[in-house]
Amino acid sequence: MSSRRLPSLKALRAFEAAARHGSFSRAADELGVTHAAVSHQIRALEEELGAALFHRTGRAVELTERGARLLPVLTAAFDQMAEGWAQAGARDSAALTVSVEPSFAARWLVLRLGKFHRAHPEIELRLLPSSDVVDFEREDVDIGVRYGLGGWPDAIAEKLFEATVYPVCAPSLLDPKKPIRKPEDLRNYPLLHEETMQHWLSWLEGAGVRNPRWAARGPLFIEASLALQAAAGGQGVALANDTLAMADLAEGRLIRLFEFEMPDEEAYWLVYPERSAAKPKVQAFRNWIREEAGLPATAMSGVTPRGRGRVQR
């Protein structure tokens, strides 16, 4: 390999910082040296090049044409060096960080994690309950579960569950003097709302109730899990997402009131960035949760061009 003819790395760093900031003083602050040291390094670089890189007018500095051409090349090179150094020093920790929609975490995922731990005792699982859409470019997250329409930027999205909703309540709430035989009978009971009262209005209209304005009352909960918990405690009737209410229905804490159910446009999705697809710990979690969701085993794949996430069904 032929030798590379390069000037001093210190001098190049001094020039790049000064050019980027448009100031020798701010470059000195960034590099932790004096203004004189930056000036000396840049002067030496100009002498070696045989041409000026800055126009100096009093305290102001301005790039020459040569300097303007050199700056983006050096900035890209230093950025790439910093990224390469960080990757070289990084360890593929056994810990797996999973960002999870809070209600799904509390009422579905946590109930099944024992199976994952028994199957993969070598993986330390870290759950981050959050309703925010994770930024895989900036956050230290390997994989996530989200509730929404899918198609998140810069991520693969695999549908886990489609959701339907229907009314549920605790058996103890039912009053023989106020029987619930048809949807209109719900006006005699407190209604529990999740995020907005529109969900109940939409369900009742879909069930054939005309002008159900009386449904716009009752407590409002930010999380679906809180509304279901209140329902299980006998505080009222909630609209259940079947995925979240599964355990309470099976164990009799909640009962379903009507066969009519309304499909939800949103669903639960497994999301992960392309860089995570090759990690064995991510593959292990992804395959496990797909199996728990009753989905067939498939190979992980990459993403479509930047800004448009691939959606898998």
Side-chain angles (χ1 to χ4, degrees):
M1 180 184 290
S2 60
S3 60
R4 297 184 178 92
R5 182 176 176 274
L6 293 172
S8 162
L9 184 60
K10 282 186 177 181
L12 290 175
R13 288 188 65 201
F15 164 77
E16 193 275 338
R20 179 162 36 84
H21 288 293
S23 167
F24 284 14
S25 296
R26 287 200 292 271
D29 291 340
E30 177 183 315
L31 300 175
V33 298
T34 65
H35 180 286
V38 170
S39 180
H40 174 76
Q41 293 287 357
I42 293 174
R43 182 69 69 185
L45 195 63
E46 289 175 324
E47 290 177 358
E48 184 170 351
L49 181 64
L53 295 170
F54 287 99
H55 296 300
R56 296 165 176 82
T57 55
R59 293 188 176 183
V61 292
E62 183 179 330
L63 285 170
T64 64
E65 183 179 346
R66 288 175 186 262
R69 291 201 305 267
L70 181 59
L71 174 60
V73 176
L74 287 181
T75 298
F78 282 124
D79 286 345
Q80 188 172 2
M81 289 168 63
E83 182 179 353
W85 180 253
Q87 290 178 356
R91 298 178 180 179
D92 188 13
S93 169
L96 175 69
T97 302
V98 184
S99 174
V100 189
E101 195 276 332
S103 293
F104 182 85
R107 304 187 69 87
W108 192 92
L109 184 59
V110 169
L111 302 177
R112 294 164 172 77
L113 283 183
K115 296 180 183 179
F116 181 77
H117 291 314
R118 287 191 292 273
H120 301 281
E122 76 284 1
I123 298 177
E124 177 187 346
L125 188 64
R126 298 174 182 171
L127 291 185
L128 298 178
S130 174
S131 297
D132 297 332
V133 177
V134 64
D135 185 346
F136 287 111
E137 295 295 324
R138 298 179 179 274
E139 300 177 50
D140 186 18
V141 173
D142 297 299
I143 195 168
V145 177
R146 285 286 167 265
Y147 187 63
L149 299 175
W152 289 278
D154 302 324
I156 302 161
E158 300 181 23
K159 185 179 286 187
L160 291 175
F161 303 101
E162 291 184 338
T164 57
V165 294
Y166 43 80
V168 297
C169 71
S172 60
L173 180 72
L174 298 178
D175 184 347
K177 297 179 181 179
K178 301 176 182 178
I180 300 178
R181 298 189 179 95
K182 56 186 183 301
E184 288 90 344
D185 295 334
L186 290 171
R187 69 168 62 237
N188 298 317
Y189 288 87
L191 299 183
L192 309 177
H193 302 268
E194 177 204 344
E195 293 186 346
T196 174
M197 294 184 176
Q198 185 58 46
H199 295 321
W200 261 117
L201 294 172
S202 297
W203 188 90
L204 288 165
E205 289 174 351
V209 179
R210 297 182 62 184
N211 199 22
R213 294 179 183 176
W214 49 266
R217 54 177 171 77
L220 191 66
F221 298 88
I222 298 300
E223 295 288 345
S225 60
L226 298 178
L228 291 177
Q229 186 174 345
Q235 297 180 35
V237 183
L239 276 177
N241 174 315
D242 53 348
T243 300
L244 301 184
M246 189 182 304
D248 283 330
L249 290 168
E251 296 176 15
R253 290 187 293 271
L254 291 173
I255 58 173
R256 180 170 177 170
L257 295 176
F258 299 100
E259 287 301 315
F260 174 74
E261 60 186 19
M262 178 171 289
D264 196 330
E265 292 182 357
E266 297 180 299
Y268 287 98
W269 301 77
L270 189 68
V271 294
Y272 53 90
E274 184 178 15
R275 60 174 168 78
S276 287
K279 296 180 180 180
K281 61 186 180 182
V282 172
Q283 294 175 0
F285 182 82
R286 181 257 189 185
N287 293 339
W288 170 80
I289 198 170
R290 284 180 61 89
E291 182 179 353
E292 288 294 310
L295 297 175
T298 59
M300 298 179 82
S301 59
V303 293
T304 51
R306 186 173 183 83
R308 298 186 62 185
R310 173 175 296 173
V311 175
Q312 294 185 358
R313 303 284 174 171

